[in-house]
């Protein structure tokens, strides 16, 4: 089972700042097998990024994904008030899919 | 527009079997293009992948749950189901169904709205 470790656990930022979220895999994951989601309280997760770097339909370009192998990054440029939420990475690299534990982006 | 909707009992007694359905609209579950998955979220916690089924009956489950979980498909109702046996209070969670697939990368989308299942006597 591939374990995904997200850091930091909580990121305190102000609107307009840049957020950098990390997702580290316990073994190599193909870039095509890594996705990112945003979740707000009381809502289902929302797909942001697939294939490590491809924005899903309708996702603003302030969200970008990068990385390969065991290290992946979600960057949120110029944080908007609606971006304060919890973010999860998910890997599809083995028959057993897994999620990271999440990073909460909170208002500083 | 594809939509998924979970349904089933919201309260289950300890040691009994949790049963949920996910009804799919806007897509055929038998098309073979997608993987139909279940994810849960304990109160205040992160997402936990439970398992998936691909039409043709290929299933994979989380190793920590596989002894208690069965995911199946009902093509006549265009829905897929989750059964989890011998539940305890630790299985109290919001259960989501989601469609997974590949297009320039793997992804899970869309998701159902989620349903809170409480295990309590």
């Amino acid at each position: 089972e591939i374990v995904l470790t997200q850091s930091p656990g909580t990121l305190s930022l102000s609107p307009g700042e840049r957020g950098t979220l990390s997702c580290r895999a316990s073994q190599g994951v193909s870039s095509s097998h890594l996705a990112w989601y945003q979740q707000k309280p009381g809502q289902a997760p929302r797909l942001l990024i697939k294939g490590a770097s491809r924005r899903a339909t309708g996702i603003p370009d302030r969200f970008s994904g990068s990385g390969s192998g065991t290290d992946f990054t979600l960057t949120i440029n110029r944080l908007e008030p609606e971006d304060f939420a919890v973010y999860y990475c998910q890997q599809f690299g083995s028959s057993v899919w897994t999620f990271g534990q999440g990073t909460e982006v909170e208002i500083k | 527009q594809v939509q998924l909707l979970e349904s089933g009992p919201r309260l289950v007694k300890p040691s009994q079997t949790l049963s949920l359905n996910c009804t799919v609209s806007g897509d055929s579950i038998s098309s073979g293009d997608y993987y139909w998955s279940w994810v849960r979220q304990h109160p205040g916690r992160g997402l936990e992948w439970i398992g998936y089924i691909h039409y043709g009956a290929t299933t994979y489950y989380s190793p920590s749950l596989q002894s208690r979980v069965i995911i199946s498909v009902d093509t006549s109702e265009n829905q897929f189901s989750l059964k989890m046996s011998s539940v305890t209070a630790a299985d109290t969670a919001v259960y989501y169904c989601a469609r997974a697939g590949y297009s320039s990368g793997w992804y899970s989308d869309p998701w159902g709205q989620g349903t809170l299942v409480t295990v309590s006597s």
Side-chain angles (χ1 to χ4, degrees):
Chain A
E1 178 177 328
I2 298 175
V3 176
L4 297 179
T5 302
Q6 293 187 239
S7 61
T10 303
L11 195 53
S12 298
L13 295 168
S14 300
E17 291 191 306
R18 171 186 295 177
T20 302
L21 289 67
S22 172
C23 175
R24 179 163 291 177
S26 60
Q27 58 187 273
V29 174
S30 168
S31 296
S32 66
H33 291 116
L34 198 287
W36 288 92
Y37 306 87
Q38 176 193 68
Q39 187 181 33
K40 296 180 180 179
Q43 297 184 16
R46 171 196 183 196
L47 175 67
L48 295 177
I49 301 284
K50 58 183 178 179
S53 62
R54 298 177 185 272
R55 278 187 299 277
T57 302
I59 301 304
D61 61 7
R62 63 180 182 273
F63 290 93
S64 63
S66 63
S68 63
T70 59
D71 291 298
F72 297 88
T73 300
L74 175 70
T75 301
I76 314 171
N77 286 307
R78 304 179 310 278
L79 275 159
E80 297 284 345
E82 61 267 28
D83 299 336
F84 292 92
V86 181
Y87 293 84
Y88 296 94
C89 54
Q90 181 187 19
Q91 66 79 25
F92 302 82
S94 66
S95 299
V96 175
W97 300 344
T98 52
F99 290 93
Q101 82 278 22
T103 290
E104 180 182 7
V105 178
E106 66 172 19
I107 299 176
K108 187 175 181 180
Chain B
Q1 181 183 1
V2 180
Q3 292 184 311
L4 283 68
L5 184 63
E6 303 92 348
S7 61
R10 307 295 178 90
L11 181 63
V12 182
K13 291 183 176 359
S15 79
Q16 293 191 342
T17 296
L18 177 159
S19 295
L20 293 174
N21 293 320
C22 180
T23 300
V24 179
S25 58
D27 189 12
S28 171
I29 204 167
S30 58
S31 69
D33 295 334
Y34 296 102
Y35 296 71
W36 305 96
S37 66
W38 288 96
V39 174
R40 71 179 181 179
Q41 186 169 36
H42 294 103
R45 306 295 295 274
L47 302 171
E48 179 184 14
W49 179 77
I50 297 173
Y52 70 73
I53 187 166
H54 184 235
Y55 185 71
T58 300
T59 54
Y60 281 99
Y61 304 120
S62 168
S64 64
L65 296 171
Q66 65 180 6
S67 65
R68 300 194 292 128
V69 168
I70 297 174
I71 297 175
S72 59
V73 164
D74 183 344
T75 55
S76 66
E77 297 290 338
N78 209 42
Q79 64 184 25
F80 62 107
S81 302
L82 170 70
K83 291 190 187 302
M84 181 180 294
S85 62
S86 305
V87 297
T88 69
D91 295 309
T92 294
V94 175
Y95 287 77
Y96 294 100
C97 56
R99 185 185 73 170
Y102 179 89
S103 173
S104 301
W106 281 90
Y107 63 91
S108 294
D109 183 70
W111 295 61
Q113 63 187 15
T115 187
L116 174 62
V117 178
T118 301
V119 178
S120 174
S121 56

